């Protein structure tokens, strides 16, 4: 898929039925629970999509960067972060 196709899936909500998850993956939750991260730890979520896992990482106190090709996905991710009361450094890139 190209950038336009990705954006279209986020605009029309198609991502919700295809790959969005309502909670962070159990593997990520388990990993974060087992590691005592230093305060300055940076988490990088590449291909963050609508930001579910990046938001979770920020909620755990990690300095989080979320990268995605789709500007529309990043808009949704930023809204989710705002609703959760956390800050994530969202960046558009491939």
């Amino acid at each position: 898929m190209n950038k336009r196709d990705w954006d279209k899936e986020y605009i029309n909500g198609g991502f919700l039925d295809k790959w969005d998850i309502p909670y962070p993956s159990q593997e990520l939750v388990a990993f974060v629970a087992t590691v005592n991260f230093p305060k300055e730890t940076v988490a990088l979520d590449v291909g963050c999509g609508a930001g579910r896992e990046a938001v979770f990482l920020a909620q755990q106190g990690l300095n989080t960067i979320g990268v995605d090709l789709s500007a529309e996905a990043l808009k949704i991710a930023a809204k989710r972060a705002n609703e959760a009361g956390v800050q994530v450094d969202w960046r558009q890139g491939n």
Side-chain angles (χ1 to χ4, degrees):
M1 287 180 24
N2 63 39
K3 180 185 173 308
R4 191 174 315 152
D5 293 332
W6 288 111
D7 283 342
K8 181 179 174 186
E9 288 296 320
Y10 285 100
I11 290 169
N12 70 22
F15 77 102
L16 292 166
D17 294 329
K18 295 178 181 173
W19 62 80
D20 192 50
I21 54 175
Y23 47 82
S25 68
Q26 63 184 3
E27 295 85 2
L28 180 61
V29 172
F31 175 71
V32 170
T34 62
V35 179
N36 185 18
F37 294 101
K39 286 212 179 268
E40 300 302 317
T41 299
V42 175
L44 176 63
D45 186 355
V46 178
C48 66
R52 186 77 65 197
E53 294 190 332
V55 169
F56 168 75
L57 292 167
Q59 288 173 319
Q60 305 313 302
L62 299 171
N63 298 314
T64 306
I65 301 168
V67 179
D68 202 272
L69 178 63
S70 170
E72 296 300 325
L74 294 173
K75 288 178 188 176
I76 296 166
K79 180 179 177 192
R80 287 179 173 178
N82 186 50
E83 290 170 352
V86 296
Q87 288 195 324
V88 176
D89 180 359
W90 303 111
R91 301 182 188 188
Q92 186 177 6
N94 187 5

